[in-house]
Amino acid sequence: MPMLADPSQRYLPFNPVPFPNRTWPDKVNKKAPIWLSTDLRDGNQTMTNQQKLRFFRHLIQIGFKEIEVSYPAASDTDFQFCRDLQNNGEVPDDVWIQVLTPARSDLIKRTFEAVAGLKHVIIHMYNATSCLFREVVFNNDRAETIKLASDHTRLVRELAEQYAASHGTSFRFEYSPETFSQTETPYAVEVCEAVKKTWLAGEKSVWADGRKEERIIFNLPATVEVATPNCFADQVEMFCNTISEREKCIISLHTHNDRGELFAKTDKADILGCAVAAAELGVLAGADRIEGTVLGNGERTGNVDLVTLGLNCYSQGIPPNLDFSDMFSVIDTVTECTGLPVHPRHPYAGELVFTAFSGSHQDAIKKGFEAQTRREKAGDKVWSMPYLPIDPADVGCTYEAVIRVNSQSGKGGIAYIVKSALALDLPRRMQIAFYKVVQDRSETTGKEMTSKDITTAFRQTYHLGGSIYDGRLVLKSFVTVDIRSATPSAVGSPDRSRAHSRVASLQNAVVEASPDRSLDSNLPSASKRLTAKVLIDGTLREVSGEGNGPLSSFLDALQGDLGIALSIREYTEHAVGAGSDVKAATYVELIPPNVDAKDKTKGGFWGVGVDADITASGLKAVISAANGYLGQNPIQVPENA
């Protein structure tokens, strides 16, 4: 049957109860709620007991203090899991085990048999209270529904008193008016009042140490989402305002994702719906506790995701009291135990959730990391980053995955990867030049460029990082001579102490200057002669030239002996590393004679050199750029060279 042109013929809208006195919109959450994981019960569709045990242990490791482990009366497997927890001493003393049972006498008794001997147990009983279920499913009127809940609460109380005395178990009681979100709110309160009166009327203790339990848990399930989260928050606040002896009640929420969207990608699918919003607004409305699952698994469209809720708190500076520092182990446990994948865009946990492909996003993140580093060096640890609500490192993620490159990416993201992987802070115009290289490769392959792909492309383009990346020209050695005295001032490199001092002075700074003037500021024009041994297409050749410093002398040598006429248009240098391991990184842009030095949009060839000797790093940068200029063109050695 096709979709209806007028769906109002078949579907009626939810009619919220007028609630003009709501206060939750003006409230701000300042602490994490009590958490209950129902992964092993509501999130369990296919797990074996061995898988459930692995999952249970991981929930303990994360920090859950209340865990719903099964519906013991539903199957022998669920019953046995409870017994295994008891017999094998799996439950820490500070953890409460919760078990679910409907309001049926035989099933309640079987439930108590399953938990006998466990130290701390929450008996969770439910019966549906909405008009639809009363009339269609159970054929009960309002009074009969209240009596059903009250009578079976009395049985739970009696059995709790017995088992507390005979088995040393401390009990708490949770009651769910199932289908609360579809139940008339005043009537839900009426049912819960009867349940509370019955539970708190018990004379004997349900605690092993004889204490009298003075609080009851009322769980308000959005069993099926039928309205927007704000309507659910109104229902919760009305309930909290109306129930008597509010101080004796713990109000719990159990939200689902029926009003969500299914995102699918190949074999990966995920549900992102309104459960998180409904739970967060419900807490503002007065709730104390949330039931859900890690990563939101569960029947139909799934439960509220406790990872998202917990890290939402964390991002606001609120301790969630749950430890997701190792998100990869959380994902591994969930996927391997349930057989359900995690969508790559899942909040906080998806493999792409901290990743930017967009060029503008990448540029903002790159600048954000630079600003964050400066603030932290100044003592300000507050996280303030474009597009990243929390530090990926806090959940065990690396920064390498933050920026990934495809054909839509920009120069900022590519420069960030180069800086992160190689510690090279590229000049802006060199970023643009290398961006074009990466874009061409990405468009040619039609695939994402990984960090390794990008750094390899950088090394290949600028001939950096060892002999496997060498270009047609390779600097093997050099000697510089002071023409005035005709004595060598450097053999292979300038004076080491002077070079190291010069590199050290670059730390925490980026220098943009005339290279030879910055290195030899007191020397007159043509005061240096440089002789270098250069490997040219595999053949070693000696070249020499003169200038006011090493770089201009080397350029003179390349022109006079190899016919490569180039001049420097831009020069930048900075330190790499610190202390005794410091090196210089030098960047040059060379231009041929027919290019206007002032028109920086055309005709330049970039190069980079890295060396502990600052002169050597500059010469390597010149060779790097010269290789880019040459490409595959033949070298025309002058006849008089």
Side-chain angles (χ1 to χ4, degrees):
M1 183 176 69
M3 289 181 63
L4 301 174
D6 180 10
S8 66
Q9 297 176 9
R10 189 174 180 84
Y11 302 104
L12 298 178
F14 178 80
N15 292 316
V17 177
F19 188 44
N21 297 323
R22 65 180 63 85
T23 63
W24 62 262
D26 296 323
K27 294 182 178 178
V28 177
N29 186 34
K30 295 183 179 179
K31 67 175 183 177
I34 302 166
W35 308 109
L36 174 121
S37 162
T38 185
D39 288 273
L40 307 182
R41 199 276 302 170
D42 201 4
N44 169 33
Q45 307 302 315
T46 60
M47 279 189 275
T48 65
N49 278 2
Q50 186 176 4
Q51 290 169 324
K52 286 181 67 173
L53 181 58
R54 176 189 171 185
F55 208 139
F56 176 82
R57 289 171 176 168
H58 199 87
L59 293 172
I60 296 295
Q61 182 180 334
I62 291 171
F64 284 98
K65 301 302 181 184
E66 298 183 8
I67 303 173
E68 189 168 58
V69 297
S70 73
Y71 180 164
S75 69
D76 291 340
T77 301
D78 272 12
F79 183 94
Q80 188 58 46
F81 184 69
C82 291
R83 299 313 308 147
D84 290 344
L85 292 179
Q86 159 60 19
N87 295 335
N88 299 328
E90 292 284 350
V91 186
D93 289 346
D94 62 344
V95 172
W96 287 79
I97 295 301
Q98 181 166 299
V99 285
L100 181 72
T101 179
R104 277 182 50 183
S105 299
D106 56 333
L107 302 184
I108 291 172
K109 292 174 183 177
R110 178 70 169 165
T111 299
F112 272 90
E113 293 171 3
V115 299
L118 287 168
K119 188 168 185 178
H120 294 129
V121 175
I122 301 170
I123 301 294
H124 179 192
M125 188 189 81
Y126 72 94
N127 64 287
T129 56
S130 68
C131 180
L132 178 65
F133 274 74
R134 294 195 309 263
E135 295 178 356
V136 175
V137 180
F138 299 112
N139 195 27
N140 284 342
D141 61 20
R142 288 189 171 207
E144 289 171 325
T145 300
I146 292 175
K147 186 175 187 301
L148 177 72
S150 182
D151 288 350
H152 288 88
T153 297
R154 186 174 295 106
L155 175 60
V156 171
R157 178 76 199 198
E158 292 170 357
L159 291 172
E161 291 172 355
Q162 293 175 23
Y163 276 77
S166 62
H167 292 82
T169 301
S170 296
F171 288 96
R172 295 162 67 194
F173 182 53
E174 175 176 333
Y175 172 72
S176 288
E178 185 73 350
T179 64
F180 167 79
S181 57
Q182 295 170 280
T183 301
E184 310 92 320
T185 305
Y187 177 66
V189 173
E190 187 179 351
V191 176
C192 290
E193 290 285 10
V195 168
K196 176 163 63 71
K197 181 178 179 181
T198 303
W199 176 254
L200 296 180
E203 296 180 359
K204 298 180 181 179
S205 176
V206 295
W207 284 62
D209 60 7
R211 282 184 291 162
K212 185 173 177 60
E213 170 59 35
E214 295 293 347
R215 302 184 79 188
I216 184 172
I217 302 170
F218 285 125
N219 185 53
L220 310 180
T223 308
V224 177
E225 279 189 311
V226 293
T228 51
N230 62 298
C231 293
F232 182 71
D234 281 351
Q235 292 174 306
V236 173
E237 184 169 352
M238 281 189 276
F239 184 96
C240 292
N241 290 350
T242 308
I243 192 77
S244 66
E245 301 176 292
R246 174 65 178 87
E247 72 282 358
K248 295 183 179 181
C249 306
I250 296 173
I251 306 302
S252 182
L253 305 178
H254 189 125
T255 57
H256 289 96
N257 274 315
D258 299 277
R259 295 172 62 86
E261 298 179 66
L262 178 65
F263 290 88
K265 180 182 180 182
T266 63
D267 62 336
K268 297 182 178 181
D270 199 23
I271 297 294
L272 303 175
C274 295
V276 167
E280 291 185 330
L281 298 188
V283 168
L284 295 179
D288 310 295
R289 180 178 183 263
I290 294 177
E291 299 187 354
T293 58
V294 174
L295 301 179
N297 291 322
E299 193 169 315
R300 302 192 325 279
T301 57
N303 295 278
V304 68
D305 175 21
L306 299 183
V307 170
T308 300
L309 284 175
L311 291 176
N312 281 357
C313 287
Y314 185 79
S315 72
Q316 300 301 303
I318 300 170
N321 304 318
L322 298 174
D323 186 1
F324 295 116
S325 298
D326 187 357
M327 186 61 71
F328 292 111
S329 70
V330 173
I331 294 168
D332 287 345
T333 298
V334 172
T335 56
E336 292 173 16
C337 290
T338 66
L340 298 173
V342 175
H343 193 276
R345 301 291 183 185
H346 192 108
Y348 300 109
E351 64 178 326
L352 297 180
V353 72
F354 294 118
T355 300
F357 287 98
S358 163
S360 60
H361 292 193
Q362 292 174 345
D363 184 62
I365 291 171
K366 173 182 177 290
K367 293 173 180 175
F369 271 119
E370 292 168 350
Q372 184 74 27
T373 299
R374 290 194 297 270
R375 288 196 304 272
E376 291 183 357
K377 285 182 178 179
D380 181 1
K381 303 298 184 182
V382 173
W383 181 258
S384 181
M385 181 70 63
Y387 300 108
L388 298 176
I390 67 170
D391 186 345
D394 289 354
V395 291
C397 297
T398 64
Y399 294 138
E400 182 178 349
V402 170
I403 290 179
R404 289 164 64 173
V405 173
N406 61 15
S407 60
Q408 300 178 24
S409 302
K411 66 182 188 303
I414 295 167
Y416 169 81
I417 290 175
V418 171
K419 185 175 182 180
S420 298
L422 303 178
L424 297 177
D425 191 3
L426 305 185
R428 181 179 179 277
R429 292 181 51 252
M430 189 176 183
Q431 293 178 25
I432 297 171
F434 183 56
Y435 162 74
K436 294 176 181 177
V437 173
V438 174
Q439 287 293 94
D440 288 345
R441 294 196 182 196
S442 180
E443 290 175 358
T444 299
T445 62
K447 297 180 180 179
E448 175 191 339
M449 294 278 287
T450 66
S451 176
K452 183 178 180 181
D453 293 334
I454 291 167
T455 54
T456 299
F458 187 86
R459 293 181 186 278
Q460 291 172 342
T461 301
Y462 300 108
H463 310 289
L464 177 75
S467 59
I468 62 171
Y469 301 110
D470 282 349
R472 297 176 63 193
L473 304 179
V474 181
L475 177 67
K476 304 303 289 184
S477 65
F478 66 92
V479 175
T480 59
V481 176
D482 188 335
I483 295 175
R484 293 168 301 174
S485 62
T487 57
S489 60
V491 179
S493 68
D495 176 73
R496 283 289 175 178
S497 61
R498 178 170 177 262
H500 187 276
S501 175
R502 170 67 179 146
V503 174
S505 72
L506 297 178
Q507 294 185 57
N508 303 318
V510 174
V511 177
E512 297 184 22
S514 169
D516 289 335
R517 191 166 298 280
S518 67
L519 288 169
D520 301 276
S521 57
N522 296 320
L523 299 178
S525 178
S527 59
K528 289 282 187 181
R529 178 183 298 115
L530 179 141
T531 302
K533 291 184 178 180
V534 179
L535 203 62
I536 304 170
D537 291 332
T539 301
L540 191 64
R541 183 183 177 94
E542 186 173 276
V543 299
S544 64
E546 296 180 357
N548 70 335
L551 301 193
S552 57
S553 299
F554 193 33
L555 289 169
D556 182 58
L558 293 179
Q559 181 174 0
D561 292 340
L562 302 180
I564 301 173
L566 296 168
S567 61
I568 293 176
R569 178 158 66 184
E570 187 169 328
Y571 175 97
T572 303
E573 58 191 18
H574 67 77
V576 176
S580 60
D581 295 326
V582 68
K583 294 183 179 181
T586 303
Y587 311 91
V588 297
E589 184 190 22
L590 303 184
I591 55 173
N594 61 341
V595 172
D596 183 358
K598 295 181 180 180
D599 184 1
K600 294 188 176 183
T601 64
K602 298 178 182 178
F605 298 88
W606 281 92
V608 58
V610 178
D611 200 281
D613 184 315
I614 194 167
T615 300
S617 73
L619 298 178
K620 287 179 178 180
V622 169
I623 282 285
S624 170
N627 274 306
Y629 166 74
L630 281 176
Q632 299 302 316
N633 296 321
I635 298 175
Q636 303 292 337
V637 179
E639 293 182 2
N640 60 347

